[in-house]
Amino acid sequence: LNKNKIKDIAIIGPNANSRNALIGNYHGTSSRYITLLEGIQDELSDSDINIHYSIGCHLSKDKIEGLAKKDDRLSEAKAAANNSDLIILSLGLDETLEGEEGDDGNSYFSGDKDDIKLPASQLRLVEAMVETGVPIIVVLQAGSCIDLTILDKYANAILDVWYPGARGGKAIAQLLFGHRSPSGKLPISFYKSLDKMPKFEDYSMKGRTYRYADQDNILYPFGFGLTYNKLEITNVCVKKIDVDHNYLAKVCVKNNGKAIQDEVIQVYIKDNSSFAVKNDSLCAFEHIIVNSKESKCYEIAIPTSAFEEVDNDGNRGIYNNKFSLYIGFSQSDKQSVALMGVAPVKVEIDF
């Protein structure tokens, strides 16, 4: 966000000024908590930008005040949005909505949710904000996969910060205003719906995790994550380093952006043996830091175990002599390439 181009910001949502949305389920006691609202207020304290705040809705209930009508803060949120240049919409969950089975602080009295959608109160808030026509930046605070299809369609940006910690609001503000570039990668896939997911009682791997999932049901894949900078792979060389089939990948990366960038080089492998997983499988990765306009080269070890599969009797072994490696900043599937805007480098290995 460019402070020189903004006069009014609306910060709206049930997690915008919530401490619970910072700390998640397991936490100690901090000497200070900085919510999203407070972090942005601190960031803009020396500017002339006006901040209009509204809680917008309850995290999961129909109203904020006990004696009020349904959606009692929705008109307030609309007023804040209509008088602003952009909306920072703070959505998600907290420990009262997701926990462990038997946790009576959990609103459902169990650790499992009925679905992966945002609570209905938040979906009504999203709809109202979209209707204003004001640009929307979503800051999502939760500890699990959320159905973000409506936000993917209407939001200008989505920043998933999980449960960011006691002073998460400061870190989020630094990202929003460009002091640092986002660098996180999804440790799980974000699905479009549960319709194509296997039943809970189904113990087969079909449809589970990024390695077996139906790609058409994935909104944001495992390993996905955008940045403000544009990094590119400029050179790749993969060599076998011993008779035990250990390999070493040499990868060169160039940062074409204007700022320092944390990134993750991801190496996926595809095996066509009868025991192979359905999709590509992550076999190596390397966290890197590259300065603006800098080119750096890295060495990434690919162990023998990357080429192994498990047969029907549970025995590990190498059952093929041809493999494909995909080296880049995301998976090799079409969706990942479309989201990232750059394709991983493909390297064929013939034992």
Side-chain angles (χ1 to χ4, degrees), residues 20-60:
N20 283 342
L22 296 175
I23 56 180
N25 298 77
Y26 302 94
H27 51 80
T29 302
S30 175
S31 58
R32 185 187 177 192
Y33 295 86
I34 303 176
T35 65
L36 171 63
L37 175 63
E38 293 167 337
I40 295 177
Q41 287 173 332
D42 291 345
E43 173 68 28
L44 301 180
S45 61
D46 59 351
S47 74
D48 295 325
I49 298 174
N50 300 309
I51 296 176
H52 309 287
Y53 166 66
S54 171
I55 192 172
C57 68
H58 191 277
L59 192 68
S60 60

XYZ file of all heavy atoms in Angstrom, residues 20-60:
317
model
N -7.742 -12.911 20.693
C -7.875 -14.353 20.487
C -7.412 -14.771 19.100
O -6.891 -15.872 18.912
C -9.335 -14.780 20.683
C -9.723 -14.857 22.151
O -8.853 -14.917 23.012
N -11.002 -14.846 22.433
N -7.613 -13.891 18.118
C -7.218 -14.208 16.750
C -5.706 -14.108 16.548
O -5.194 -14.483 15.499
C -7.928 -13.281 15.768
N -5.001 -13.601 17.538
C -3.539 -13.546 17.472
C -2.908 -14.829 18.000
O -1.924 -15.318 17.441
C -3.008 -12.372 18.296
C -3.374 -10.946 17.886
C -2.841 -9.969 18.922
C -2.835 -10.606 16.507
N -3.487 -15.384 19.056
C -2.746 -16.372 19.846
C -3.120 -17.812 19.562
O -2.374 -18.728 19.925
C -2.923 -16.091 21.347
C -4.414 -16.062 21.720
C -2.256 -14.771 21.707
C -4.681 -15.782 23.186
N -4.270 -18.082 18.948
C -4.616 -19.456 18.642
C -4.927 -20.274 19.880
O -5.354 -19.763 20.908
N -4.676 -21.587 19.799
C -5.076 -22.501 20.870
C -4.012 -22.726 21.940
O -4.335 -23.065 23.067
C -5.442 -23.867 20.265
C -6.618 -23.774 19.323
O -6.463 -23.323 18.198
N -7.790 -24.183 19.774
N -2.751 -22.583 21.586
C -1.675 -22.875 22.527
C -0.806 -21.628 22.678
O -0.194 -21.172 21.716
C -0.828 -24.048 22.029
C -1.645 -25.301 21.813
C -2.162 -25.613 20.563
C -1.899 -26.160 22.878
C -2.923 -26.760 20.381
C -2.651 -27.311 22.697
C -3.165 -27.597 21.449
O -3.908 -28.724 21.264
N -0.729 -21.097 23.882
C -0.038 -19.815 24.050
C 0.268 -19.557 25.516
O -0.346 -20.129 26.416
C -0.909 -18.675 23.510
C -2.309 -18.684 24.048
N -2.641 -18.193 25.272
C -3.452 -19.183 23.521
C -3.929 -18.338 25.496
N -4.456 -18.967 24.443
N 1.214 -18.670 25.720
C 1.511 -18.182 27.058
C 0.894 -16.810 27.233
O -0.146 -16.503 26.652
N 1.553 -15.969 28.032
C 1.067 -14.616 28.290
C 2.121 -13.621 27.846
O 3.266 -13.672 28.306
C 0.756 -14.413 29.777
O -0.209 -15.385 30.194
C 0.191 -13.018 30.027
N 1.748 -12.720 26.959
C 2.685 -11.722 26.456
C 2.593 -10.442 27.284
O 1.546 -10.136 27.872
C 2.368 -11.409 24.992
O 3.193 -10.369 24.521
N 3.676 -9.691 27.307
C 3.670 -8.394 27.991
C 2.914 -7.342 27.187
O 2.523 -6.310 27.726
C 5.109 -7.917 28.220
O 5.798 -7.817 26.981
N 2.708 -7.621 25.888
C 1.940 -6.699 25.064
C 1.338 -7.454 23.878
O 1.975 -8.351 23.326
C 2.814 -5.553 24.538
C 1.995 -4.511 23.783
C 2.836 -3.450 23.117
N 2.002 -2.525 22.360
C 2.460 -1.629 21.480
N 3.751 -1.515 21.266
N 1.625 -0.843 20.825
N 0.121 -7.081 23.525
C -0.547 -7.637 22.351
C -0.807 -6.508 21.360
O -1.206 -5.410 21.760
C -1.871 -8.297 22.736
C -1.707 -9.498 23.628
C -1.617 -9.350 25.011
C -1.619 -10.773 23.100
C -1.461 -10.449 25.835
C -1.468 -11.880 23.927
C -1.382 -11.713 25.291
O -1.220 -12.806 26.111
N -0.564 -6.771 20.088
C -0.821 -5.777 19.045
C -1.745 -6.421 18.019
O -1.334 -7.298 17.255
C 0.478 -5.298 18.371
C 1.441 -4.721 19.412
C 0.165 -4.251 17.302
C 2.782 -4.306 18.839
N -2.992 -6.002 18.009
C -3.950 -6.528 17.042
C -3.727 -5.893 15.680
O -2.934 -4.958 15.530
C -5.383 -6.232 17.505
O -5.588 -4.805 17.504
C -5.634 -6.787 18.896
N -4.437 -6.378 14.691
C -4.338 -5.814 13.345
C -4.683 -4.330 13.358
O -3.962 -3.514 12.768
C -5.269 -6.570 12.396
C -5.449 -5.981 10.995
C -4.127 -5.989 10.230
C -6.511 -6.754 10.219
N -5.774 -3.975 14.004
C -6.167 -2.563 14.084
C -5.078 -1.725 14.733
O -4.699 -0.660 14.208
C -7.469 -2.431 14.878
C -7.951 -1.010 15.165
C -8.259 -0.263 13.877
C -9.164 -1.023 16.089
N -4.541 -2.184 15.848
C -3.502 -1.433 16.555
C -2.220 -1.345 15.748
O -1.534 -0.313 15.750
C -3.240 -2.085 17.912
C -4.420 -1.974 18.861
C -4.295 -2.883 20.067
O -3.562 -3.904 19.987
O -4.939 -2.593 21.089
N -1.885 -2.418 15.035
C -0.672 -2.399 14.215
C -0.751 -1.369 13.107
O 0.220 -0.656 12.834
N -1.912 -1.285 12.454
C -2.087 -0.294 11.382
C -2.169 1.112 11.963
O -1.631 2.073 11.385
C -3.333 -0.641 10.543
C -3.113 -1.974 9.821
C -3.612 0.466 9.516
C -4.302 -2.454 9.033
N -2.804 1.274 13.116
C -2.844 2.589 13.776
C -1.435 3.062 14.098
O -1.103 4.243 13.885
C -3.696 2.515 15.042
C -5.195 2.408 14.782
C -5.988 2.160 16.053
O -5.478 1.565 17.011
N -7.242 2.582 16.064
N -0.598 2.176 14.619
C 0.797 2.542 14.911
C 1.551 2.881 13.627
O 2.329 3.849 13.586
C 1.505 1.399 15.632
C 0.990 1.175 17.049
O 0.293 2.069 17.580
O 1.267 0.100 17.615
N 1.333 2.092 12.590
C 2.013 2.310 11.312
C 1.657 3.657 10.712
O 2.503 4.328 10.100
C 1.650 1.186 10.341
C 2.154 1.349 8.919
C 3.667 1.254 8.801
O 4.282 0.561 9.643
O 4.226 1.860 7.876
N 0.424 4.104 10.882
C -0.060 5.343 10.262
C -0.105 6.520 11.226
O -0.680 7.560 10.909
C -1.452 5.108 9.670
C -1.566 4.013 8.606
C -2.997 3.893 8.110
C -0.615 4.286 7.443
N 0.517 6.362 12.392
C 0.424 7.409 13.416
C 1.041 8.731 12.993
O 0.646 9.795 13.472
C 1.086 6.925 14.718
O 2.467 6.635 14.495
N 2.014 8.689 12.081
C 2.669 9.922 11.625
C 2.175 10.358 10.249
O 2.811 11.169 9.579
C 4.179 9.738 11.596
C 4.616 8.601 10.663
O 3.736 7.857 10.185
O 5.836 8.478 10.419
N 1.031 9.825 9.818
C 0.478 10.182 8.515
C -0.854 10.906 8.695
O -1.372 11.036 9.807
C 0.249 8.932 7.657
O -0.872 8.202 8.116
N -1.398 11.394 7.589
C -2.696 12.069 7.620
C -3.834 11.146 7.197
O -4.947 11.603 6.914
C -2.668 13.292 6.683
C -1.679 14.357 7.157
O -1.536 14.513 8.388
O -1.050 15.004 6.303
N -3.570 9.856 7.146
C -4.590 8.892 6.722
C -5.592 8.657 7.848
O -5.216 8.443 9.007
C -3.930 7.564 6.306
C -2.998 7.792 5.106
C -4.993 6.525 5.963
C -2.207 6.566 4.719
N -6.867 8.704 7.519
C -7.925 8.449 8.486
C -8.250 6.960 8.530
O -8.334 6.312 7.485
C -9.195 9.227 8.122
C -8.953 10.724 8.099
O -8.410 11.285 9.046
N -9.356 11.376 7.011
N -8.457 6.431 9.715
C -8.829 5.029 9.894
C -10.253 4.960 10.424
O -10.575 5.558 11.456
C -7.872 4.315 10.873
C -6.453 4.288 10.297
C -8.365 2.902 11.153
C -5.432 3.697 11.241
N -11.108 4.230 9.708
C -12.495 4.033 10.123
C -12.654 2.562 10.495
O -12.503 1.686 9.647
C -13.458 4.400 8.994
C -13.205 5.757 8.413
N -13.512 6.921 9.081
C -12.648 6.136 7.235
C -13.184 7.960 8.334
N -12.645 7.504 7.206
N -12.979 2.306 11.755
C -13.046 0.926 12.239
C -14.478 0.501 12.534
O -15.265 1.270 13.097
C -12.208 0.761 13.510
C -12.492 -0.528 14.247
C -12.173 -1.765 13.682
C -13.095 -0.518 15.504
C -12.442 -2.950 14.347
C -13.373 -1.701 16.180
C -13.044 -2.910 15.600
O -13.326 -4.081 16.257
N -14.794 -0.727 12.160
C -16.054 -1.355 12.550
C -15.827 -2.847 12.723
O -15.162 -3.468 11.881
C -17.149 -1.125 11.506
O -18.303 -1.903 11.802
N -16.381 -3.419 13.766
C -16.285 -4.863 13.960
C -17.085 -5.600 12.896
O -16.789 -6.742 12.558
C -16.737 -5.265 15.377
C -16.353 -6.720 15.665
C -18.231 -5.033 15.566
C -16.583 -7.142 17.113
N -18.109 -4.958 12.349
C -18.835 -5.517 11.210
C -19.834 -6.607 11.546
O -20.985 -6.567 11.131
N -19.366 -7.610 12.290
C -20.224 -8.736 12.664
C -19.561 -9.496 13.787
O -18.378 -9.320 14.072
C -20.480 -9.654 11.470
S -19.018 -10.560 10.908
N -20.325 -10.366 14.419
C -19.764 -11.286 15.400
C -18.975 -12.364 14.662
O -19.228 -12.653 13.493
C -20.886 -11.912 16.229
C -20.407 -12.679 17.426
N -19.973 -13.989 17.345
C -20.290 -12.316 18.731
C -19.610 -14.407 18.544
N -19.797 -13.412 19.407
N -18.032 -12.978 15.345
C -17.218 -14.018 14.725
C -18.079 -15.145 14.163
O -17.807 -15.660 13.068
C -16.223 -14.573 15.749
C -15.100 -15.463 15.199
C -14.144 -14.656 14.345
C -14.349 -16.126 16.348
N -19.138 -15.518 14.877
C -19.977 -16.625 14.411
C -21.461 -16.440 14.692
O -22.290 -17.110 14.063
C -19.513 -17.944 15.054
O -19.613 -17.874 16.462
